[in-house]
PDB file of all heavy atoms in Angstrom:
ATOM      1  N   GLY A   1       0.794  -1.173  -0.016  1.00 98.00           N
ATOM      2  CA  GLY A   1      -0.096   0.002  -0.033  1.00 98.00           C
ATOM      3  C   GLY A   1       0.814   1.310  -0.012  1.00 98.00           C
ATOM      4  O   GLY A   1       0.320   2.378  -0.015  1.00 98.00           O
ATOM      5  N   LEU A   2       2.220   1.081   0.006  1.00 98.00           N
ATOM      6  CA  LEU A   2       2.967   2.259   0.082  1.00 98.00           C
ATOM      7  C   LEU A   2       2.852   3.240  -1.160  1.00 98.00           C
ATOM      8  O   LEU A   2       2.798   4.502  -1.084  1.00 98.00           O
ATOM      9  CB  LEU A   2       4.431   1.921   0.217  1.00 98.00           C
ATOM     10  CG  LEU A   2       5.448   3.103   0.605  1.00 98.00           C
ATOM     11  CD1 LEU A   2       5.002   3.797   1.806  1.00 98.00           C
ATOM     12  CD2 LEU A   2       6.798   2.528   0.707  1.00 98.00           C
ATOM     13  N   SER A   3       2.763   2.570  -2.345  1.00 97.00           N
ATOM     14  CA  SER A   3       2.578   3.464  -3.636  1.00 97.00           C
ATOM     15  C   SER A   3       1.360   4.341  -3.654  1.00 97.00           C
ATOM     16  O   SER A   3       1.307   5.190  -4.511  1.00 97.00           O
ATOM     17  CB  SER A   3       2.765   2.643  -4.808  1.00 97.00           C
ATOM     18  OG  SER A   3       1.797   1.540  -4.761  1.00 97.00           O
ATOM     19  N   SER A   4       0.380   4.165  -2.751  1.00 97.00           N
ATOM     20  CA  SER A   4      -0.759   4.937  -2.726  1.00 97.00           C
ATOM     21  C   SER A   4      -0.825   5.894  -1.559  1.00 97.00           C
ATOM     22  O   SER A   4      -1.812   6.575  -1.371  1.00 97.00           O
ATOM     23  CB  SER A   4      -2.040   4.031  -2.756  1.00 97.00           C
ATOM     24  OG  SER A   4      -2.139   3.266  -1.561  1.00 97.00           O
ATOM     25  N   LYS A   5       0.292   6.033  -0.979  1.00 98.00           N
ATOM     26  CA  LYS A   5       0.371   6.965   0.274  1.00 98.00           C
ATOM     27  C   LYS A   5       0.885   8.399  -0.321  1.00 98.00           C
ATOM     28  O   LYS A   5       1.294   8.582  -1.370  1.00 98.00           O
ATOM     29  CB  LYS A   5       1.411   6.441   1.279  1.00 98.00           C
ATOM     30  CG  LYS A   5       1.002   5.171   1.904  1.00 98.00           C
ATOM     31  CD  LYS A   5      -0.438   5.202   2.688  1.00 98.00           C
ATOM     32  CE  LYS A   5      -0.924   3.977   3.257  1.00 98.00           C
ATOM     33  NZ  LYS A   5      -2.188   4.088   3.846  1.00 98.00           N
ATOM     34  N   THR A   6       0.851   9.329   0.553  1.00 98.00           N
ATOM     35  CA  THR A   6       1.099  10.743   0.341  1.00 98.00           C
ATOM     36  C   THR A   6       2.677  10.708   0.376  1.00 98.00           C
ATOM     37  O   THR A   6       3.390   9.938   1.046  1.00 98.00           O
ATOM     38  CB  THR A   6       0.669  11.731   1.390  1.00 98.00           C
ATOM     39  OG1 THR A   6       1.338  11.435   2.640  1.00 98.00           O
ATOM     40  CG2 THR A   6      -0.872  11.583   1.556  1.00 98.00           C
ATOM     41  N   PRO A   7       3.319  11.830  -0.338  1.00 97.00           N
ATOM     42  CA  PRO A   7       4.685  12.057  -0.257  1.00 97.00           C
ATOM     43  C   PRO A   7       5.274  12.036   1.201  1.00 97.00           C
ATOM     44  O   PRO A   7       6.307  11.441   1.468  1.00 97.00           O
ATOM     45  CB  PRO A   7       4.971  13.301  -0.950  1.00 97.00           C
ATOM     46  CG  PRO A   7       3.870  13.369  -1.943  1.00 97.00           C
ATOM     47  CD  PRO A   7       2.655  12.759  -1.179  1.00 97.00           C
ATOM     48  N   GLN A   8       4.587  12.673   2.058  1.00 97.00           N
ATOM     49  CA  GLN A   8       4.947  12.780   3.520  1.00 97.00           C
ATOM     50  C   GLN A   8       5.059  11.404   4.198  1.00 97.00           C
ATOM     51  O   GLN A   8       5.901  11.051   4.936  1.00 97.00           O
ATOM     52  CB  GLN A   8       4.137  13.708   4.367  1.00 97.00           C
ATOM     53  CG  GLN A   8       4.642  13.918   5.861  1.00 97.00           C
ATOM     54  CD  GLN A   8       6.124  14.386   5.788  1.00 97.00           C
ATOM     55  OE1 GLN A   8       6.485  15.428   5.335  1.00 97.00           O
ATOM     56  NE2 GLN A   8       6.902  13.618   6.541  1.00 97.00           N
ATOM     57  N   GLU A   9       3.963  10.582   3.870  1.00 98.00           N
ATOM     58  CA  GLU A   9       3.919   9.171   4.353  1.00 98.00           C
ATOM     59  C   GLU A   9       5.164   8.320   3.985  1.00 98.00           C
ATOM     60  O   GLU A   9       5.650   7.501   4.656  1.00 98.00           O
ATOM     61  CB  GLU A   9       2.646   8.590   4.183  1.00 98.00           C
ATOM     62  CG  GLU A   9       1.442   9.088   5.053  1.00 98.00           C
ATOM     63  CD  GLU A   9       0.180   8.721   4.493  1.00 98.00           C
ATOM     64  OE1 GLU A   9      -0.220   8.594   3.318  1.00 98.00           O
ATOM     65  OE2 GLU A   9      -0.761   8.411   5.463  1.00 98.00           O
ATOM     66  N   VAL A  10       5.346   8.634   2.654  1.00 98.00           N
ATOM     67  CA  VAL A  10       6.559   7.792   2.052  1.00 98.00           C
ATOM     68  C   VAL A  10       7.883   8.262   2.694  1.00 98.00           C
ATOM     69  O   VAL A  10       8.619   7.375   3.047  1.00 98.00           O
ATOM     70  CB  VAL A  10       6.578   8.031   0.477  1.00 98.00           C
ATOM     71  CG1 VAL A  10       7.942   7.427  -0.029  1.00 98.00           C
ATOM     72  CG2 VAL A  10       5.340   7.458  -0.169  1.00 98.00           C
ATOM     73  N   LYS A  11       8.067   9.492   2.984  1.00 97.00           N
ATOM     74  CA  LYS A  11       9.164  10.002   3.722  1.00 97.00           C
ATOM     75  C   LYS A  11       9.284   9.456   5.085  1.00 97.00           C
ATOM     76  O   LYS A  11      10.422   9.063   5.610  1.00 97.00           O
ATOM     77  CB  LYS A  11       9.165  11.576   3.799  1.00 97.00           C
ATOM     78  CG  LYS A  11       9.776  12.200   2.471  1.00 97.00           C
ATOM     79  CD  LYS A  11      10.217  13.684   2.886  1.00 97.00           C
ATOM     80  CE  LYS A  11      10.890  14.425   1.816  1.00 97.00           C
ATOM     81  NZ  LYS A  11      11.192  14.292   0.472  1.00 97.00           N
ATOM     82  N   ASP A  12       8.107   9.412   5.770  1.00 97.00           N
ATOM     83  CA  ASP A  12       8.058   8.825   7.094  1.00 97.00           C
ATOM     84  C   ASP A  12       8.576   7.256   7.098  1.00 97.00           C
ATOM     85  O   ASP A  12       9.281   6.907   7.940  1.00 97.00           O
ATOM     86  CB  ASP A  12       6.684   8.868   7.712  1.00 97.00           C
ATOM     87  CG  ASP A  12       6.296  10.251   7.992  1.00 97.00           C
ATOM     88  OD1 ASP A  12       7.061  11.158   8.077  1.00 97.00           O
ATOM     89  OD2 ASP A  12       5.053  10.502   8.140  1.00 97.00           O
ATOM     90  N   VAL A  13       8.108   6.592   6.083  1.00 97.00           N
ATOM     91  CA  VAL A  13       8.551   5.171   6.051  1.00 97.00           C
ATOM     92  C   VAL A  13       9.966   5.247   5.677  1.00 97.00           C
ATOM     93  O   VAL A  13      10.770   4.340   6.241  1.00 97.00           O
ATOM     94  CB  VAL A  13       7.739   4.525   4.840  1.00 97.00           C
ATOM     95  CG1 VAL A  13       8.342   3.140   4.436  1.00 97.00           C
ATOM     96  CG2 VAL A  13       6.248   4.212   5.197  1.00 97.00           C
ATOM     97  N   PHE A  14      10.490   6.029   4.887  1.00 98.00           N
ATOM     98  CA  PHE A  14      11.993   6.125   4.518  1.00 98.00           C
ATOM     99  C   PHE A  14      12.712   6.279   5.853  1.00 98.00           C
ATOM    100  O   PHE A  14      13.705   5.654   6.130  1.00 98.00           O
ATOM    101  CB  PHE A  14      12.322   7.261   3.651  1.00 98.00           C
ATOM    102  CG  PHE A  14      13.813   7.501   3.398  1.00 98.00           C
ATOM    103  CD1 PHE A  14      14.419   6.801   2.508  1.00 98.00           C
ATOM    104  CD2 PHE A  14      14.495   8.344   4.254  1.00 98.00           C
ATOM    105  CE1 PHE A  14      15.798   6.752   2.207  1.00 98.00           C
ATOM    106  CE2 PHE A  14      15.940   8.504   4.068  1.00 98.00           C
ATOM    107  CZ  PHE A  14      16.531   7.768   3.018  1.00 98.00           C
ATOM    108  N   GLN A  15      12.214   7.174   6.701  1.00 97.00           N
ATOM    109  CA  GLN A  15      12.984   7.425   7.991  1.00 97.00           C
ATOM    110  C   GLN A  15      13.042   6.199   8.847  1.00 97.00           C
ATOM    111  O   GLN A  15      14.017   6.024   9.637  1.00 97.00           O
ATOM    112  CB  GLN A  15      12.365   8.655   8.786  1.00 97.00           C
ATOM    113  CG  GLN A  15      12.671   9.975   8.035  1.00 97.00           C
ATOM    114  CD  GLN A  15      11.905  11.101   8.614  1.00 97.00           C
ATOM    115  OE1 GLN A  15      10.829  10.985   9.176  1.00 97.00           O
ATOM    116  NE2 GLN A  15      12.444  12.309   8.255  1.00 97.00           N
ATOM    117  N   ILE A  16      11.887   5.434   8.830  1.00 95.00           N
ATOM    118  CA  ILE A  16      11.932   4.193   9.612  1.00 95.00           C
ATOM    119  C   ILE A  16      12.997   3.137   9.140  1.00 95.00           C
ATOM    120  O   ILE A  16      13.654   2.547   9.809  1.00 95.00           O
ATOM    121  CB  ILE A  16      10.497   3.539   9.631  1.00 95.00           C
ATOM    122  CG1 ILE A  16       9.534   4.470  10.410  1.00 95.00           C
ATOM    123  CG2 ILE A  16      10.473   2.115  10.192  1.00 95.00           C
ATOM    124  CD1 ILE A  16       8.091   4.085  10.211  1.00 95.00           C
ATOM    125  N   LEU A  17      13.025   3.128   7.726  1.00 96.00           N
ATOM    126  CA  LEU A  17      13.930   2.117   7.080  1.00 96.00           C
ATOM    127  C   LEU A  17      15.416   2.629   7.224  1.00 96.00           C
ATOM    128  O   LEU A  17      16.326   1.730   7.151  1.00 96.00           O
ATOM    129  CB  LEU A  17      13.651   2.045   5.533  1.00 96.00           C
ATOM    130  CG  LEU A  17      12.210   1.469   5.302  1.00 96.00           C
ATOM    131  CD1 LEU A  17      11.882   1.488   3.831  1.00 96.00           C
ATOM    132  CD2 LEU A  17      12.050  -0.018   5.759  1.00 96.00           C
ATOM    133  N   ASP A  18      15.643   3.955   7.268  1.00 97.00           N
ATOM    134  CA  ASP A  18      17.062   4.468   7.472  1.00 97.00           C
ATOM    135  C   ASP A  18      17.415   4.252   8.938  1.00 97.00           C
ATOM    136  O   ASP A  18      17.395   5.203   9.733  1.00 97.00           O
ATOM    137  CB  ASP A  18      17.019   5.942   7.027  1.00 97.00           C
ATOM    138  CG  ASP A  18      18.380   6.651   7.220  1.00 97.00           C
ATOM    139  OD1 ASP A  18      19.401   5.877   7.316  1.00 97.00           O
ATOM    140  OD2 ASP A  18      18.349   7.836   7.300  1.00 97.00           O
ATOM    141  N   GLU A  19      17.941   3.047   9.277  1.00 95.00           N
ATOM    142  CA  GLU A  19      18.129   2.743  10.670  1.00 95.00           C
ATOM    143  C   GLU A  19      19.225   3.539  11.341  1.00 95.00           C
ATOM    144  O   GLU A  19      19.059   3.862  12.589  1.00 95.00           O
ATOM    145  CB  GLU A  19      18.640   1.240  10.723  1.00 95.00           C
ATOM    146  CG  GLU A  19      17.440   0.297  10.674  1.00 95.00           C
ATOM    147  CD  GLU A  19      17.942  -1.128  10.957  1.00 95.00           C
ATOM    148  OE1 GLU A  19      18.360  -1.799   9.987  1.00 95.00           O
ATOM    149  OE2 GLU A  19      17.912  -1.483  12.046  1.00 95.00           O
ATOM    150  N   ASP A  20      20.297   4.033  10.607  1.00 96.00           N
ATOM    151  CA  ASP A  20      21.360   4.772  11.229  1.00 96.00           C
ATOM    152  C   ASP A  20      21.031   6.366  11.134  1.00 96.00           C
ATOM    153  O   ASP A  20      21.884   7.143  11.476  1.00 96.00           O
ATOM    154  CB  ASP A  20      22.671   4.443  10.723  1.00 96.00           C
ATOM    155  CG  ASP A  20      22.824   4.701   9.290  1.00 96.00           C
ATOM    156  OD1 ASP A  20      21.871   5.233   8.573  1.00 96.00           O
ATOM    157  OD2 ASP A  20      23.908   4.317   8.666  1.00 96.00           O
ATOM    158  N   ASN A  21      19.870   6.589  10.584  1.00 97.00           N
ATOM    159  CA  ASN A  21      19.478   8.082  10.505  1.00 97.00           C
ATOM    160  C   ASN A  21      20.523   8.932   9.714  1.00 97.00           C
ATOM    161  O   ASN A  21      20.764  10.037   9.880  1.00 97.00           O
ATOM    162  CB  ASN A  21      19.156   8.631  11.844  1.00 97.00           C
ATOM    163  CG  ASN A  21      18.101   8.180  12.477  1.00 97.00           C
ATOM    164  OD1 ASN A  21      16.996   7.965  11.885  1.00 97.00           O
ATOM    165  ND2 ASN A  21      18.226   7.671  13.803  1.00 97.00           N
ATOM    166  N   SER A  22      21.235   8.255   8.636  1.00 98.00           N
ATOM    167  CA  SER A  22      22.232   8.944   7.858  1.00 98.00           C
ATOM    168  C   SER A  22      21.585   9.790   6.709  1.00 98.00           C
ATOM    169  O   SER A  22      22.152  10.551   6.080  1.00 98.00           O
ATOM    170  CB  SER A  22      23.180   7.876   7.282  1.00 98.00           C
ATOM    171  OG  SER A  22      22.376   7.132   6.318  1.00 98.00           O
ATOM    172  N   GLY A  23      20.267   9.594   6.465  1.00 97.00           N
ATOM    173  CA  GLY A  23      19.531  10.276   5.414  1.00 97.00           C
ATOM    174  C   GLY A  23      19.655   9.390   4.152  1.00 97.00           C
ATOM    175  O   GLY A  23      19.170   9.867   3.050  1.00 97.00           O
ATOM    176  N   PHE A  24      20.161   8.177   4.291  1.00 98.00           N
ATOM    177  CA  PHE A  24      20.331   7.341   3.075  1.00 98.00           C
ATOM    178  C   PHE A  24      19.983   5.913   3.604  1.00 98.00           C
ATOM    179  O   PHE A  24      20.219   5.572   4.716  1.00 98.00           O
ATOM    180  CB  PHE A  24      21.772   7.431   2.537  1.00 98.00           C
ATOM    181  CG  PHE A  24      22.119   8.615   2.008  1.00 98.00           C
ATOM    182  CD1 PHE A  24      22.758   9.614   2.767  1.00 98.00           C
ATOM    183  CD2 PHE A  24      21.779   9.043   0.704  1.00 98.00           C
ATOM    184  CE1 PHE A  24      23.160  10.917   2.222  1.00 98.00           C
ATOM    185  CE2 PHE A  24      22.198  10.366   0.247  1.00 98.00           C
ATOM    186  CZ  PHE A  24      22.722  11.160   1.027  1.00 98.00           C
ATOM    187  N   ILE A  25      19.538   5.130   2.625  1.00 97.00           N
ATOM    188  CA  ILE A  25      19.447   3.695   2.861  1.00 97.00           C
ATOM    189  C   ILE A  25      20.659   2.960   2.108  1.00 97.00           C
ATOM    190  O   ILE A  25      20.662   3.138   0.874  1.00 97.00           O
ATOM    191  CB  ILE A  25      18.085   3.100   2.375  1.00 97.00           C
ATOM    192  CG1 ILE A  25      17.011   3.687   3.013  1.00 97.00           C
ATOM    193  CG2 ILE A  25      18.132   1.612   2.454  1.00 97.00           C
ATOM    194  CD1 ILE A  25      15.507   3.307   2.550  1.00 97.00           C
ATOM    195  N   GLU A  26      21.502   2.522   2.842  1.00 96.00           N
ATOM    196  CA  GLU A  26      22.665   1.918   2.307  1.00 96.00           C
ATOM    197  C   GLU A  26      22.479   0.514   2.069  1.00 96.00           C
ATOM    198  O   GLU A  26      21.540  -0.138   2.590  1.00 96.00           O
ATOM    199  CB  GLU A  26      23.895   2.086   3.186  1.00 96.00           C
ATOM    200  CG  GLU A  26      24.421   3.460   3.357  1.00 96.00           C
ATOM    201  CD  GLU A  26      23.773   4.260   4.457  1.00 96.00           C
ATOM    202  OE1 GLU A  26      22.973   3.689   5.227  1.00 96.00           O
ATOM    203  OE2 GLU A  26      24.032   5.552   4.543  1.00 96.00           O
ATOM    204  N   GLU A  27      23.461  -0.138   1.313  1.00 93.00           N
ATOM    205  CA  GLU A  27      23.275  -1.607   1.019  1.00 93.00           C
ATOM    206  C   GLU A  27      23.136  -2.482   2.267  1.00 93.00           C
ATOM    207  O   GLU A  27      22.280  -3.387   2.310  1.00 93.00           O
ATOM    208  CB  GLU A  27      24.446  -2.097   0.197  1.00 93.00           C
ATOM    209  CG  GLU A  27      24.100  -3.336  -0.703  1.00 93.00           C
ATOM    210  CD  GLU A  27      25.205  -3.652  -1.692  1.00 93.00           C
ATOM    211  OE1 GLU A  27      25.603  -2.773  -2.514  1.00 93.00           O
ATOM    212  OE2 GLU A  27      25.681  -4.753  -1.656  1.00 93.00           O
ATOM    213  N   SER A  28      23.848  -2.063   3.350  1.00 93.00           N
ATOM    214  CA  SER A  28      23.809  -2.804   4.578  1.00 93.00           C
ATOM    215  C   SER A  28      22.373  -2.734   5.247  1.00 93.00           C
ATOM    216  O   SER A  28      21.976  -3.806   5.774  1.00 93.00           O
ATOM    217  CB  SER A  28      24.881  -2.370   5.622  1.00 93.00           C
ATOM    218  OG  SER A  28      24.559  -0.990   5.891  1.00 93.00           O
ATOM    219  N   GLU A  29      21.645  -1.684   4.977  1.00 95.00           N
ATOM    220  CA  GLU A  29      20.325  -1.520   5.493  1.00 95.00           C
ATOM    221  C   GLU A  29      19.397  -2.232   4.576  1.00 95.00           C
ATOM    222  O   GLU A  29      18.313  -2.807   4.944  1.00 95.00           O
ATOM    223  CB  GLU A  29      19.922  -0.152   5.655  1.00 95.00           C
ATOM    224  CG  GLU A  29      20.636   0.648   6.778  1.00 95.00           C
ATOM    225  CD  GLU A  29      20.598   2.092   6.784  1.00 95.00           C
ATOM    226  OE1 GLU A  29      20.568   2.776   5.704  1.00 95.00           O
ATOM    227  OE2 GLU A  29      20.418   2.690   7.841  1.00 95.00           O
ATOM    228  N   LEU A  30      19.622  -2.180   3.221  1.00 96.00           N
ATOM    229  CA  LEU A  30      18.767  -2.788   2.256  1.00 96.00           C
ATOM    230  C   LEU A  30      18.703  -4.216   2.431  1.00 96.00           C
ATOM    231  O   LEU A  30      17.662  -4.845   2.175  1.00 96.00           O
ATOM    232  CB  LEU A  30      19.265  -2.404   0.904  1.00 96.00           C
ATOM    233  CG  LEU A  30      18.258  -2.326  -0.197  1.00 96.00           C
ATOM    234  CD1 LEU A  30      17.083  -1.462   0.151  1.00 96.00           C
ATOM    235  CD2 LEU A  30      18.885  -1.698  -1.525  1.00 96.00           C
ATOM    236  N   LYS A  31      19.783  -4.927   2.787  1.00 96.00           N
ATOM    237  CA  LYS A  31      19.798  -6.434   2.887  1.00 96.00           C
ATOM    238  C   LYS A  31      18.637  -6.814   3.888  1.00 96.00           C
ATOM    239  O   LYS A  31      17.964  -7.841   3.588  1.00 96.00           O
ATOM    240  CB  LYS A  31      21.206  -6.821   3.494  1.00 96.00           C
ATOM    241  CG  LYS A  31      21.233  -8.149   3.731  1.00 96.00           C
ATOM    242  CD  LYS A  31      22.635  -8.705   4.064  1.00 96.00           C
ATOM    243  CE  LYS A  31      22.728 -10.271   4.117  1.00 96.00           C
ATOM    244  NZ  LYS A  31      24.097 -10.698   4.405  1.00 96.00           N
ATOM    245  N   TYR A  32      18.348  -6.096   4.853  1.00 97.00           N
ATOM    246  CA  TYR A  32      17.385  -6.479   5.845  1.00 97.00           C
ATOM    247  C   TYR A  32      16.035  -5.686   5.600  1.00 97.00           C
ATOM    248  O   TYR A  32      15.186  -5.475   6.523  1.00 97.00           O
ATOM    249  CB  TYR A  32      17.901  -6.147   7.282  1.00 97.00           C
ATOM    250  CG  TYR A  32      19.172  -6.902   7.519  1.00 97.00           C
ATOM    251  CD1 TYR A  32      20.349  -6.212   7.459  1.00 97.00           C
ATOM    252  CD2 TYR A  32      19.169  -8.209   7.811  1.00 97.00           C
ATOM    253  CE1 TYR A  32      21.586  -6.970   7.728  1.00 97.00           C
ATOM    254  CE2 TYR A  32      20.300  -9.041   7.949  1.00 97.00           C
ATOM    255  CZ  TYR A  32      21.523  -8.367   7.929  1.00 97.00           C
ATOM    256  OH  TYR A  32      22.714  -8.982   8.222  1.00 97.00           O
ATOM    257  N   PHE A  33      15.782  -5.146   4.398  1.00 97.00           N
ATOM    258  CA  PHE A  33      14.696  -4.393   4.037  1.00 97.00           C
ATOM    259  C   PHE A  33      13.493  -5.125   4.462  1.00 97.00           C
ATOM    260  O   PHE A  33      12.470  -4.460   5.171  1.00 97.00           O
ATOM    261  CB  PHE A  33      14.633  -4.143   2.572  1.00 97.00           C
ATOM    262  CG  PHE A  33      13.514  -3.339   2.110  1.00 97.00           C
ATOM    263  CD1 PHE A  33      13.486  -1.960   2.100  1.00 97.00           C
ATOM    264  CD2 PHE A  33      12.443  -4.004   1.445  1.00 97.00           C
ATOM    265  CE1 PHE A  33      12.355  -1.253   1.677  1.00 97.00           C
ATOM    266  CE2 PHE A  33      11.379  -3.298   0.906  1.00 97.00           C
ATOM    267  CZ  PHE A  33      11.342  -2.032   0.987  1.00 97.00           C
ATOM    268  N   LEU A  34      13.190  -6.332   4.103  1.00 97.00           N
ATOM    269  CA  LEU A  34      12.033  -7.065   4.455  1.00 97.00           C
ATOM    270  C   LEU A  34      11.788  -7.241   5.885  1.00 97.00           C
ATOM    271  O   LEU A  34      10.592  -7.235   6.406  1.00 97.00           O
ATOM    272  CB  LEU A  34      11.946  -8.396   3.661  1.00 97.00           C
ATOM    273  CG  LEU A  34      11.861  -8.400   2.051  1.00 97.00           C
ATOM    274  CD1 LEU A  34      12.064  -9.730   1.582  1.00 97.00           C
ATOM    275  CD2 LEU A  34      10.701  -7.656   1.605  1.00 97.00           C
TER     276      LEU A  34
END
């Protein structure tokens, strides 16, 4: 359902996925994406 969310909600999800709060999702974080 993420593709039907608002740009702000997508940014909120990004912040949750960006575990080290670097402003980026790196390969090390992407490995554990699911």
Side-chain angles (χ1 to χ4, degrees):
L2 189 58
S3 52
S4 61
K5 296 297 176 184
T6 67
Q8 184 54 55
E9 288 169 318
V10 172
K11 273 199 176 13
D12 291 343
V13 168
F14 176 86
Q15 289 172 338
I16 294 167
L17 297 173
D18 176 21
E19 282 189 273
D20 63 4
N21 296 313
S22 65
F24 297 94
I25 298 174
E26 293 89 6
E27 205 169 302
S28 57
E29 292 166 319
L30 206 50
K31 180 175 186 174
Y32 302 102
F33 179 81
L34 296 175

